[in-house]
């Protein structure tokens, strides 16, 4: 019996991409802004990531946009709660659990003496998309390194990221931009306060 895994055709999203998606709701000058403004934006993003086939992705509508935002925010809440060592909002947990029950599931295809591990899609492209978004995050929380999730230490950023550095001491989503910006802001603050309070 031969078992084949069709590597040419999978729909997995990696963790970094999933976290990028969570950060589409972000802070700008202290205000929350949502980068997902039109249904076509998330649709095209999932196609670009290989989660959905272009020809099968369909046209997304406003309710789809509302749903994808809700799932994104629920996942964000769960990750934030883990980072902040608090209990997540039960509604967010429920949203994530609903999502996990949908989407692409592994499926055996038997053809003569060959067993192929294929997959079956969810009821809609949006179901597949939200499930693929939740999967790498939930996998990391369950059996990876949940202590490596971070919220950027720059208070004007607060991006969610995963710290894959050897020392696990990363504090900023991006050292070059956020880290330096935060340092410069602190420096200005100290300069304003004068040398007596600087430390
Ligand atoms: Zn940042």
């Amino acid at each position: 019996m031969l078992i084949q895994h069709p590597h040419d055709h999978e729909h997995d999203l990696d963790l970094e991409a999933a976290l990028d998606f969570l950060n589409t709701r972000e802070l700008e000058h202290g205000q929350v802004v949502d980068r997902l403004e039109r249904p076509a934006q998330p649709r095209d993003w999932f196609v670009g990531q290989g989660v959905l086939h272009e020809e099968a992705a369909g046209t997304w509508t406003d309710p789809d946009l509302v749903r994808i935002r809700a799932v994104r925010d629920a996942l964000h809440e769960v990750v934030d709660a883990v980072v902040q060592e608090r209990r997540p909002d039960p509604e967010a947990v429920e949203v994530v659990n609903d999502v996990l029950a949908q989407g692409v599931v592994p499926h055996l295809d038997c053809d003569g003496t060959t067993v192929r591990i294929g997959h079956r899609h969810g009821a809609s492209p949006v179901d597949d998309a939200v499930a693929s978004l939740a999967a790498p995050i939930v996998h990391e929380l369950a059996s990876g390194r949940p202590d490596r999730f971070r919220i950027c230490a720059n208070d004007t950023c607060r991006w969610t990221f995963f710290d894959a550095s050897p020392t696990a001491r990363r504090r900023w989503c991006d050292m070059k931009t956020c880290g330096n910006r935060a340092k410069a802001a602190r420096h200005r603050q100290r300069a304003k306060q004068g040398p007596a309070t600087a430390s």
Side-chain angles (χ1 to χ4, degrees):
M1 186 74 73
L2 191 65
I3 296 188
Q4 291 183 344
H5 206 288
H7 288 291
D8 59 325
H9 184 178
E10 286 175 22
H11 300 283
D12 296 342
L13 199 61
D14 67 35
L15 181 63
E16 206 170 328
L19 292 178
D20 277 350
F21 194 88
L22 295 200
N23 290 323
T24 55
R25 186 174 182 273
E26 63 173 344
L27 288 175
E28 191 178 71
H29 308 304
Q31 302 290 317
V32 175
V33 291
D34 201 322
R35 304 287 175 205
L36 300 181
E37 297 174 311
R38 289 171 291 106
Q41 288 172 315
R43 179 214 176 269
D44 293 349
W45 187 84
F46 282 105
V47 169
Q49 294 288 332
V51 169
L52 301 175
H53 299 293
E54 172 64 48
E55 62 280 9
T59 304
W60 289 22
T61 58
D62 284 334
D64 295 330
L65 178 63
V66 169
R67 179 160 176 230
I68 201 95
R69 282 174 164 179
V71 171
R72 175 199 59 187
D73 296 346
L75 285 165
H76 213 309
E77 161 61 14
V78 171
V79 172
D80 281 0
V82 168
V83 174
Q84 294 164 349
E85 296 178 324
R86 62 174 172 82
R87 215 182 155 84
D89 178 352
E91 273 178 47
V93 173
E94 204 178 307
V95 168
V96 174
N97 278 334
D98 283 348
V99 160
L100 291 172
Q102 297 149 5
V104 174
V105 288
H107 177 74
L108 291 182
D109 293 323
C110 303
D111 169 20
T113 57
T114 303
V115 177
R116 293 177 75 248
I117 301 166
H119 56 255
R120 206 156 34 201
H121 287 265
S124 76
V126 183
D127 283 343
D128 283 348
V130 291
S132 76
L133 183 64
I137 295 170
V138 170
H139 178 79
E140 197 65 46
L141 290 174
S143 54
R145 295 179 292 177
D147 54 308
R148 292 291 193 110
F149 282 102
R150 303 271 185 273
I151 298 171
C152 181
N154 179 354
D155 278 336
T156 63
C157 173
R158 311 281 298 156
W159 265 38
T160 297
F161 68 94
F162 188 78
D163 182 359
S165 70
T167 55
R169 286 196 192 133
R170 230 178 105 192
R171 297 183 56 216
W172 294 284
C173 65
D174 179 349
M175 190 58 215
K176 282 192 201 76
T177 54
C178 255
N180 283 343
R181 257 206 321 270
K183 277 183 195 157
R186 270 204 306 277
H187 187 80
R188 278 196 303 276
Q189 191 60 33
R190 281 177 194 158
K192 236 189 291 177
Q193 287 166 349
T197 53
S199 56

